[in-house]
Amino acid sequence: EKHGLQLQVKPVLTLANRYAGLPVFQPKVPYPGVWWTVREQKWHAQCLVGGARRNFMVKPKDHSEAELERSFTVAVAWKKKQEKEKKRKALQILASSHGSPDHSRLAGFTEDNLRLPMFS
């Protein structure tokens, strides 16, 4: 107290302590493109399909191990579905670029064995 004024110090949230009380989870078996967001307390999955970035978030009902595992599995299933669609779109692009109705050059390509660097 100085000259009748009382000094009050208020704690200021910094990046270091803003989310300090929130739990952080790591999956038992990580999956590329799926991660835990501390801020939202959700699993976040992301995929690039046909030049568009797609996002999916799933929030567990509680922080029990079973619910965290279930919600992580939902996020991974969504990501796998997007990856399958990405391969299908890549095949469509290849087929349309060749123009021939029999697509003989694509005979060996399937959704399962298509591995193109430009679509990874």
Side-chain angles (χ1 to χ4, degrees):
E1 191 173 322
K2 187 175 182 181
H3 304 293
L5 299 175
Q6 189 175 5
L7 295 176
Q8 293 182 355
V9 178
K10 295 181 182 178
V12 177
L13 290 178
T14 63
L15 289 177
N17 68 5
R18 181 175 295 169
Y19 308 115
L22 299 176
V24 176
F25 299 104
Q26 296 294 327
K28 292 177 184 175
V29 179
Y31 192 84
V34 179
W35 64 92
W36 178 256
T37 56
V38 177
R39 181 179 179 188
E40 288 97 7
Q41 294 289 288
K42 298 176 185 178
W43 291 107
H44 187 162
Q46 189 175 70
C47 190
L48 191 65
V49 178
R53 181 172 290 140
R54 296 181 181 181
N55 293 283
F56 177 78
M57 291 188 180
V58 59
K59 186 172 187 168
K61 296 174 186 172
D62 55 43
H63 289 139
S64 67
E65 188 172 339
E67 180 60 21
L68 287 167
E69 187 69 28
R70 184 203 65 80
S71 56
F72 177 74
T73 304
V74 169
V76 169
W78 178 88
K79 173 79 173 168
K80 287 181 178 180
K81 182 179 176 185
Q82 301 307 307
E83 290 170 344
K84 196 170 187 177
E85 184 177 340
K86 180 180 188 175
K87 287 181 183 180
R88 189 174 57 246
K89 284 193 175 208
L91 281 173
Q92 288 173 349
I93 290 170
L94 280 173
S96 66
S97 68
H98 290 291
S100 61
D102 64 344
H103 307 296
S104 58
R105 294 180 66 190
L106 298 176
F109 291 112
T110 66
E111 287 185 21
D112 296 326
N113 70 7
L114 180 64
R115 297 282 185 261
L116 296 175
M118 64 181 161
F119 294 108
S120 297

